[in-house]
Amino acid sequence: MTTSDELVLISGASTGMGAATARELARRGYHVLAGVRREADADAVRASGIEPVILDITDPEHIEAVARRIAADPAGRPLRAVINNAGIAVNAPVELLSMAEWRHQFEVNFFGHVAVTQAVLPALHASSGRVVNISSIGGKVAMPTYGAYGGAKFALEAMSDALRRELAPHGVQVVVVEPGGVRTEMTGHGIARLNDTLAGLSPAERGRYGGLMRAIVSHATAFTASGLPAEAAGRVIADAATVRRPRTRYTIGRDAAVLTRLSRILPDRLLDRLLAADLRPHFPKGQPATSAA
């Protein structure tokens, strides 16, 4: 069987790592079902070997339609892998983030991936295929204001471990990819949401968290600007989906590799101090960095 005889499904493929991974897999000869949320996004990603499919992973009807598309593939191609990549970032201190925002972040970054995986597992059982879950460095280390995002990614990591152990006896592999800094649009969207939250703070809330939130904006901007291009991340994700003997986890970028190792060996208090030191230079001048300590 050649790669052109196999399908790969990717969610969140309209921009960033998802789009880069779709292009890389198509270049390698796979037929990519590129999940996008809007028709305008479909037109932007459509290319040779890339077939856009409308997929909002929080919409059960979209998920069912994609599962039917895979099962009724006109060429009878098996599903080689599903790459659960869709995601959003909403940053705010735990005290300030509304419960609606908490639930929405988990719906997109966790429950949606579970739903997609459940829907396509019959096809993966038939093909001895693979589940690739795109986690984050935030699935190992949670910075201030990343409680909801990190919480969903920690949950994705745990689910992936359980799923890997459940499916191993049946020939289906499960892989986690943990990116660090990558130059994508998602960080910009997250910063815009954080700025909106910052603008709506009460004086007391601004006194507690204003400096921290501005520091996070600065830190995230610098972290993304110094990160890898999406194309480099796409190559790692494509390898995770297709190599014959994948590792259980892949990191993307030196920052992710270092921090994930440190999180395993350092005591919590020491890790707290290291993260605070990394964040401190980003606080506004004259603003004490007490929120980072």
Side-chain angles (χ1 to χ4, degrees):
M1 183 178 292
T2 64
T3 57
S4 61
D5 295 322
E6 296 181 301
L7 303 174
V8 177
L9 172 65
I10 308 175
S11 65
S14 59
T15 61
M17 292 190 300
T21 303
R23 292 190 295 269
E24 177 63 20
L25 286 166
R27 187 189 68 79
R28 298 185 188 191
Y30 292 90
H31 186 83
V32 180
L33 301 177
V36 299
R37 296 177 64 243
R38 299 173 299 182
E39 289 292 347
D41 296 327
D43 294 336
V45 302
R46 185 178 285 109
S48 177
I50 300 177
E51 175 188 338
V53 292
I54 299 300
L55 179 59
D56 178 339
I57 66 171
T58 68
D59 188 325
E61 292 184 1
H62 287 189
I63 295 171
E64 291 168 7
V66 167
R68 289 195 299 270
R69 163 65 186 85
I70 292 167
D73 183 66
R77 292 168 291 201
L79 182 64
R80 170 50 37 209
V82 58
I83 301 174
N84 289 311
N85 171 72
I88 59 172
V90 182
N91 290 80
V94 171
E95 181 179 357
L96 302 184
L97 192 65
S98 72
M99 290 309 302
E101 290 281 15
W102 276 91
R103 292 187 176 100
H104 181 56
Q105 188 131 214
F106 270 76
E107 285 292 339
V108 177
N109 289 357
F110 179 63
F111 291 119
H113 298 319
V114 176
V116 170
T117 301
Q118 288 180 336
V120 303
L121 266 173
L124 293 174
H125 281 298
S127 66
S128 296
R130 189 171 303 170
V131 178
V132 179
N133 288 329
I134 308 303
S135 179
S136 167
I137 191 174
K140 294 295 187 183
V141 179
M143 292 278 288
T145 78
Y146 284 81
Y149 179 82
K153 292 298 187 181
F154 270 68
L156 186 65
E157 296 262 355
M159 183 274 285
S160 300
D161 285 342
L163 187 66
R164 184 181 70 251
R165 291 156 187 159
E166 292 163 1
L167 297 181
H170 308 290
V172 177
Q173 297 169 314
V174 179
V175 179
V176 174
V177 179
E178 298 161 343
V182 178
R183 297 196 292 273
T184 70
E185 292 84 348
M186 188 179 78
T187 300
H189 297 324
I191 289 171
R193 291 189 182 99
L194 193 151
N195 279 325
D196 289 342
T197 301
L198 183 59
L201 296 184
S202 70
E205 291 167 342
R206 189 177 297 274
R208 281 195 294 271
Y209 299 119
L212 170 63
M213 294 173 72
R214 290 188 179 91
I216 288 293
V217 169
S218 173
H219 183 274
T221 301
F223 187 66
T224 301
S226 64
L228 295 173
E231 290 72 19
R235 290 191 290 272
V236 175
I237 297 168
D239 285 345
T242 61
V243 296
R244 186 163 176 249
R245 295 181 181 274
R247 303 197 297 268
T248 58
R249 278 176 170 78
Y250 291 78
T251 55
I252 296 178
R254 183 176 178 273
D255 52 353
V258 170
L259 269 179
T260 53
R261 289 190 182 99
L262 289 178
S263 70
R264 292 196 295 267
I265 62 176
L266 292 184
D268 287 345
R269 298 296 186 190
L270 180 54
L271 186 59
D272 289 350
R273 288 196 289 273
L274 287 176
L275 295 176
D278 183 52
L279 188 58
R280 191 171 292 114
H282 296 275
F283 273 74
K285 289 184 178 179
Q287 170 71 50
T290 54
S291 296

